[in-house]
Amino acid sequence: MARRTSTSSAPSTPAASRPTPPVGVLERGISVLECFSEERLRLSLRELAEYTGLDKATLLRLLGVLVKARMLQRSESGQYSPGPALLHMGMLYRDSFDLGTRLQPVLHAVMQRTGETTAFYVRSGEDRVCLYREITHKEVRHHVEPGTRRHLASGGASAHILLHYTGSPTPHLKQIEEKGFVLTRAERVPEMASIALPVFEGDGSFLGALVVIGLASRHPEEAQLAGVAYAREQLALHGFLTQPPAGWTVQAHGG
C-alpha cells in the first residue's frame, strides 16, 4: 500500500486540553521533534504549539536552534519538517546494529520468493522501528521506509513478536509458543495480511522481528506459511536463529 505524504492540519485545540509542556530545555526540544510522524511531515508554528503545549515565543527559540542544527528545516511557507541531521543520525543508529549486510540479502530473497514486502523491526520504547525493508514491485503493496515508527499497541504481526520477546504481554502468546510465529489478517491495516517471526543472533540474543506483509486477497494463509518457512531457511544460511536457544529467558524491556 503506497505511503501517503501529507501536510497535516491540526484541529484547533482548546487551551485547557493542550498537553502540559515539559520543563527542561532538552525535553522541550525532544517534544518538538516527536511531533513529526509519517502522517505529519510538515507542521506550522501553530500546530507545533498545539501538539507540545509550548507557547509560541518559546517554540520560536527552540525551532531556531533545531533549524541551525539541521534537525529541522523551515520552508518558505513557514512550515517545519524534519531536517537532514535526523537522517544522518538514523543511519548511524541503523549501522550500529551491524546487521544490514547480513539481513538485507535475507529480506531480498524472501521478497523475491513471496512477491510481498518484507521488513525487519526492532523495539524502541513503546514503538517498533523499521530498520530494513525490501518493497515488492507490485502496484498494490504495503510500503514502509526505514526509520518508520509504529505504536506497538496498534498491532501487526511484528508488534506481537517484539512484545513477547521483550517481556510484554500479547494476545498471541499461545500462537508464538506453539508455532514460533504470529500470523495476522487485517489486524492493523484493512485488507493486509502479515506474518512475523523472531530473529536471534547466533549467541541467542534477541534482535527483532522479520515480517512479510501482503494484500490478504493474494496472500492466503498457505502462502504466508510457505513464506515464513523460506524466511527461516534464509535466516539460518546467514547465521541467525529463529527460535530461542535452550535455557533462554525473556528479558524485560528497559524502555
Side-chain angles (χ1 to χ4, degrees):
M1 182 174 292
R3 180 171 66 92
R4 298 191 302 272
T5 57
S6 61
T7 56
S8 171
S9 55
S12 179
T13 306
S17 62
R18 289 187 182 181
T20 302
V23 176
V25 175
L26 181 59
E27 288 81 1
R28 288 179 174 182
I30 292 172
S31 73
V32 172
L33 295 175
E34 289 181 337
C35 290
F36 297 92
S37 68
E38 190 175 5
E39 291 75 31
R40 301 198 304 241
L41 291 176
R42 297 175 182 83
L43 296 172
S44 66
L45 179 65
R46 176 183 63 82
E47 290 170 328
L48 287 167
E50 292 184 350
Y51 287 130
T52 63
L54 295 167
D55 63 82
K56 292 182 179 179
T58 299
L59 259 178
L60 283 171
R61 290 193 296 271
L62 285 171
L63 290 168
V65 173
L66 292 171
V67 168
K68 186 176 180 180
R70 300 188 305 124
M71 291 187 173
L72 292 180
Q73 53 191 5
R74 185 178 184 274
S75 67
E76 293 183 1
S77 65
Q79 289 187 312
Y80 295 87
S81 60
L86 294 180
L87 175 61
H88 176 66
M89 295 300 293
M91 295 299 289
L92 291 177
Y93 169 67
R94 189 180 75 171
D95 291 346
S96 70
F97 279 79
D98 193 27
L99 291 177
T101 55
R102 294 166 61 207
L103 267 176
Q104 207 73 54
V106 174
L107 296 178
H108 182 74
V110 176
M111 183 275 291
Q112 293 279 68
R113 173 65 67 92
T114 63
E116 304 295 350
T117 293
T118 59
F120 178 77
Y121 283 89
V122 297
R123 181 171 182 173
S124 175
E126 295 307 311
D127 296 337
R128 56 187 169 106
V129 180
C130 175
L131 287 190
Y132 310 101
R133 56 64 169 147
E134 284 286 334
I135 302 295
T136 179
H137 299 299
K138 293 179 179 178
E139 186 172 354
V140 180
R141 62 188 183 272
H142 178 82
H143 190 96
V144 62
E145 290 294 342
T148 298
R149 301 178 72 95
R150 306 282 189 206
H151 288 300
L152 289 166
S154 67
S158 62
H160 296 294
I161 290 292
L162 293 173
L163 285 168
H164 174 67
Y165 287 102
T166 54
S168 299
T170 167
H172 290 273
L173 173 62
K174 184 177 180 181
Q175 184 178 184
I176 294 172
E177 291 182 337
E178 292 182 353
K179 300 181 178 180
F181 60 77
V182 171
L183 185 155
T184 62
R185 302 184 71 81
E187 182 183 74
R188 194 185 71 84
V189 180
E191 302 178 359
M192 284 290 168
S194 65
I195 188 165
L197 70 161
V199 179
F200 297 86
E201 190 52 274
D203 63 3
S205 56
F206 176 66
L207 299 174
L210 184 151
V211 61
V212 182
I213 316 164
L215 197 63
S217 60
R218 69 169 182 239
H219 200 213
E221 185 172 330
E222 311 86 74
Q224 289 182 282
L225 295 175
V228 83
Y230 184 69
R232 281 180 168 144
E233 294 176 9
Q234 289 299 308
L235 285 165
L237 286 175
H238 288 79
F240 296 106
L241 305 176
T242 56
Q243 294 182 352
W248 188 87
T249 55
V250 173
Q251 300 297 313
H253 184 69

